[in-house]
Amino acid sequence: MAPPAIEIEDLTKHYKKGVKKKIVALEGLNLEIHQGEIFGFVGPNGAGKSTAIKLIMNLIFPTRGQVHIMGLEASQPAARRKVGYLPENPSFYDHLTGEEFLLFAGALVGMKGKTIKNKARELLTLVGLDQAKSLRIRKYSKGMMQRLGIAQALMGNPQIIIMDEPMSGLDPLGRTEVVRLILTLKEQGKTVFFSSHILHDVETICDRVGILVKGHLTYLGSLSHLSDSPSWVLKLEGDHVDALQERGFSQISRVGHLTQVELPPEDLWEALDTVKGLALPIYALEKKRLTLEEIFVREVQSEG
């Protein structure tokens, strides 16, 4: 059985503040990232997302706990060679061109000869920078630099790509380009782990999501699981607001040509009997779906 792409056990990071006080940046994180999935790591500012990523990358060291990458301890060079990394605020030698920077990045991961040049050109095309390969990086836009950062993370052909806020500061077009690129990586069989506070993008592309609040993982699961709600939504054709209000229904709304009623599970069968007795045309009965934003707000407020 293949090991998880990333396995995190009891990962904790405390910082000292003065003689006796401590700051809890991350507390007891347990998490498995499956091979080939896109995993979204979300949370408010200061929740500990960047701390967790730096611990995974072995850039800082935990107070306790451990990280394994493809079955290897994260501290081992062989493990780190399996990972490409885009930090939250990437910086470049901006006097270089995009192609020169990728050649430099490839040399750092041990690539040589024609292989390194072919890979650089392949990735410049993948991230949509082939027309800007000879342009000095100082002339790149924010979106172009983010795409160049992703390209450098891919130079060593890693199995896992970890990105810290890859959509941060991008305009809608830039975000769309990065989202498409992440989906392309998944199609290639890569594992993508990224943090973000842009919930719409996470909801659009991720297989699973973890919500981190004040250093604690408060929710974990697939988006379909996260969005489950015990409530039901009954949809009726036409305008029946008055008739339903007379029968004591609440939470009624009009959406286009439909009348919608939200029902708790304990009221469902009685409501269906009432609607049947009124001979109202039923269009659909659906489980209510929560958005990731609604779930996120609930988790943050519950920890407040």
Side-chain angles (χ1 to χ4, degrees):
M1 184 175 179
I6 304 171
E7 185 176 15
I8 300 168
E9 298 177 5
D10 194 30
L11 196 60
T12 299
K13 183 64 177 178
H14 298 165
Y15 292 99
K16 290 184 178 180
K17 184 179 181 181
V19 178
K20 296 183 179 180
K21 292 185 179 181
K22 68 179 179 181
I23 297 173
V24 178
L26 193 68
E27 186 68 41
L29 177 63
N30 292 286
L31 184 60
E32 283 190 5
I33 309 301
H34 308 318
Q35 291 190 39
E37 76 170 331
I38 301 175
F39 186 91
F41 204 38
V42 302
N45 291 335
K49 303 186 300 296
S50 292
T51 297
I53 287 174
K54 289 175 183 176
L55 288 166
I56 294 170
M57 293 302 303
N58 204 47
L59 297 174
I60 59 175
F61 306 108
T63 303
R64 68 171 187 271
Q66 55 187 344
V67 178
H68 287 86
I69 295 172
M70 302 293 289
L72 302 173
E73 290 187 7
S75 60
Q76 296 182 27
R80 295 199 294 276
R81 280 194 288 270
K82 298 178 183 295
V83 180
Y85 173 51
L86 174 69
E88 181 177 5
N89 297 301
S91 59
F92 307 96
Y93 297 114
D94 64 3
H95 63 283
L96 298 177
T97 67
E99 184 174 27
E100 287 170 344
F101 179 75
L102 290 187
L103 294 176
F104 171 71
L108 289 178
V109 296
M111 301 176 71
K112 297 178 181 179
K114 290 185 178 180
T115 301
I116 187 172
K117 197 160 190 175
N118 291 338
K119 189 65 175 180
R121 290 179 175 176
E122 172 193 328
L123 291 174
L124 285 165
T125 300
L126 176 67
V127 301
L129 291 176
D130 49 325
Q131 299 300 314
K133 64 182 181 182
S134 300
L135 188 67
R136 301 292 173 191
I137 296 173
R138 65 169 62 98
K139 296 183 179 180
Y140 277 23
S141 67
K142 172 69 173 175
M144 292 169 72
M145 286 193 288
Q146 286 292 88
R147 284 182 279 154
L148 182 64
I150 294 173
Q152 67 80 26
L154 296 172
M155 273 303 291
N157 195 29
Q159 296 164 273
I160 303 164
I161 298 91
I162 298 176
M163 296 183 282
D164 196 353
E165 299 284 359
M167 290 86 161
S168 178
L170 299 181
D171 61 22
L173 179 59
R175 282 171 45 203
T176 300
E177 291 171 345
V178 172
V179 164
R180 287 176 180 169
L181 181 54
I182 291 173
L183 291 172
T184 298
L185 294 174
K186 177 180 170 66
E187 290 173 0
Q188 295 175 352
K190 308 286 188 184
T191 302
V192 181
F193 176 104
F194 75 94
S195 70
S196 182
H197 62 273
I198 303 174
L199 301 180
H200 175 267
D201 294 336
V202 173
E203 194 166 16
T204 300
I205 64 175
C206 288
D207 299 302
R208 290 193 304 145
V209 175
I211 300 177
L212 195 69
V213 183
K214 295 182 179 179
H216 294 83
L217 189 68
T218 64
Y219 219 114
L220 173 66
S222 69
L223 281 168
S224 60
H225 174 68
L226 282 171
S227 299
D228 281 346
S229 166
S231 297
W232 291 86
V233 177
L234 178 62
K235 299 180 179 181
L236 308 172
E237 291 185 351
D239 184 355
H240 307 291
V241 174
D242 292 340
L244 293 172
Q245 286 179 337
E246 289 176 2
R247 294 302 182 101
F249 286 86
S250 59
Q251 295 186 284
I252 307 169
S253 60
R254 284 294 309 279
V255 180
H257 69 286
L258 301 176
T259 300
Q260 293 191 171
V261 189
E262 185 176 335
L263 300 164
E266 62 270 18
D267 294 344
L268 178 60
W269 296 111
E270 182 180 351
L272 289 174
D273 287 341
T274 300
V275 168
K276 183 179 178 180
L278 293 171
L280 301 180
I282 296 177
Y283 179 81
L285 177 65
E286 301 172 349
K287 202 79 176 288
K288 183 180 179 183
R289 307 291 290 176
L290 298 177
T291 66
L292 180 57
E293 183 175 355
E294 290 173 319
I295 297 163
F296 178 84
V297 170
R298 182 187 69 195
E299 293 299 313
V300 172
Q301 290 178 343
S302 67
E303 291 290 318

